[in-house]
């Protein structure tokens, strides 16, 4: 009695009062035009939302949309994407990764719409989430809205824990539990991180480079104890 709980201490953190909003709306207006983006939401704001939309207006246009969202503590993050196929023969590829720890809540809503005029569309979307704690929450809602009848479109979502099999392998090689978990967490993120231009990633010797800031954030949220809820999870 009289001792503040971790939850109360976290609630008083000034950063949790911050709200972050980012919106990006792109139109590909050239035939066989291409647009590629990698968006990462790893900040410390209490509430954050990233909204990204890409419209493919000319035949042969392509969009690659990669995203990563990291939330921990009492954070709330919302990641929304919209890929709009309007012209014939357009293509898109989307990979979204989410990592949620503590009591944080993350939502991902990914919408792909294919108009009647966008015949021969080829689109793929996959959202993968790792939950790091028993109280972390994720709402992953990939969606397809297809008006055309000659298309190839797929979408899906997975939610899992860190792989116990992979953790066992790393620990059998002499690594401790926290280091093993951190390595798996960074490997999960690295697929999206590698899509970012090296000039933006920064030099590994720079303390404030994007890569080092992501590593520091992951070290802050790595699980310390064992999960209360155990089960068979797939590796992602």
């Amino acid at each position: 009695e009289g001792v503040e709980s971790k939850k109360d201490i976290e609630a008083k953190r000034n950063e949790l009062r911050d709200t972050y909003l980012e919106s990006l709306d792109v139109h590909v207006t050239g035939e066989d035009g291409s647009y590629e983006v990698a968006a990462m939401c790893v900040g410390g704001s209490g509430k954050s939302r990233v909204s990204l939309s890409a419209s493919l207006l000319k035949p042969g246009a392509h969009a690659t949309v990669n995203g990563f969202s990291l939330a921990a503590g009492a954070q709330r993050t919302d990641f929304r994407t919209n890929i709009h196929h309007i012209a014939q023969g357009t293509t898109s590829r989307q990979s979204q990764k989410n990592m949620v720890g503590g009591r944080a809540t993350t939502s991902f809503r990914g919408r792909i719409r294919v108009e009647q005029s966008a015949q021969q569309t080829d689109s793929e979307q996959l959202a993968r989430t790792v939950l790091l704690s028993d109280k972390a929450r994720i709402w992953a809602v990939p969606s397809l809205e297809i008006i055309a009848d000659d298309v190839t479109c797929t979408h899906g979502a997975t939610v899992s824990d860190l792989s116990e099999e992979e953790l066992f392998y790393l620990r059998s090689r002499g690594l401790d539990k926290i280091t093993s978990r951190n390595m798996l967490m960074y490997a999960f993120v690295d697929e999206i991180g590698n899509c970012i231009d090296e000039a933006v990633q920064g030099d590994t010797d720079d303390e404030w480079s994007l890569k080092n800031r992501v590593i520091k954030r992951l070290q802050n949220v790595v699980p310390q104890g064992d999960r209360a809820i155990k089960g068979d999870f797939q590796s992602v």
Side-chain angles (χ1 to χ4, degrees):
E1 186 176 348
V3 179
E4 285 189 307
S5 66
K6 293 182 179 180
K7 182 177 180 179
D8 292 335
I9 295 174
E10 174 73 9
K12 293 180 179 180
R13 194 164 62 87
N14 290 331
E15 290 83 351
L16 284 180
R17 302 172 185 175
D18 296 339
T19 299
Y20 175 78
L21 174 64
E22 179 178 349
S23 181
L24 186 63
D25 189 7
V26 176
H27 294 248
V28 182
T29 58
E31 289 192 13
D32 298 319
S34 180
Y35 172 69
E36 296 185 13
V37 63
M40 301 186 74
C41 183
V42 296
S45 299
K47 297 179 180 179
S48 60
R49 172 177 290 177
V50 175
S51 178
L52 194 157
S53 178
S55 298
L56 306 177
L57 304 176
K58 293 294 183 178
H62 173 80
T64 298
V65 178
N66 297 306
F68 172 71
S69 174
L70 174 64
Q75 289 180 299
R76 300 290 183 269
T77 64
D78 184 19
F79 209 108
R80 302 187 180 195
T81 63
N82 178 55
I83 301 177
H84 196 179
H85 292 263
I86 298 175
Q88 182 174 349
T90 54
T91 59
S92 66
R93 297 292 182 268
Q94 181 176 11
S95 176
Q96 174 69 29
K97 290 192 171 186
N98 310 296
M99 188 172 288
V100 195
R103 301 176 307 282
T105 300
T106 292
S107 63
F108 167 70
R109 294 174 174 84
R111 175 177 178 260
I112 294 177
R113 180 174 174 86
V114 183
E115 299 294 349
Q116 178 68 34
S117 56
Q119 303 292 338
Q120 287 91 51
T121 285
D122 184 353
S123 180
E124 295 179 5
Q125 179 192 70
L126 178 60
R128 291 179 283 180
T129 301
V130 168
L131 295 180
L132 299 174
S133 70
D134 298 318
K135 296 183 179 180
R137 296 182 179 182
I138 175 70
W139 277 268
V141 189
S143 64
L144 292 174
E145 299 177 10
I146 302 175
I147 311 301
D149 53 15
D150 181 12
V151 301
T152 302
C153 295
T154 61
H155 70 155
T158 66
V159 179
S160 73
D161 194 355
L162 295 173
S163 169
E164 289 295 334
E165 182 179 348
E166 292 169 0
L167 283 172
F168 176 81
Y169 175 83
L170 291 175
R171 297 198 66 190
S172 70
R173 295 302 183 269
L175 298 177
D176 60 55
K177 182 182 296 185
I178 293 178
T179 301
S180 299
R181 285 174 171 170
N182 215 357
M183 288 185 64
L184 292 181
M185 290 164 63
Y186 185 75
F188 181 77
V189 180
D190 203 40
E191 179 183 334
I192 304 299
N194 285 335
C195 298
I196 299 176
D197 190 274
E198 291 183 0
V200 177
Q201 290 188 40
D203 187 37
T204 54
D205 296 331
D206 182 4
E207 178 184 357
W208 298 106
S209 68
L210 176 62
K211 181 173 291 188
N212 285 333
R213 282 187 286 134
V214 170
I215 291 174
K216 186 176 181 180
R217 281 281 288 150
L218 292 176
Q219 289 173 341
N220 288 337
V221 302
V222 62
Q224 302 296 317
D226 293 326
R227 294 285 295 268
I229 302 174
K230 298 184 181 295
D232 293 328
F233 295 90
Q234 63 177 330
S235 173
V236 292

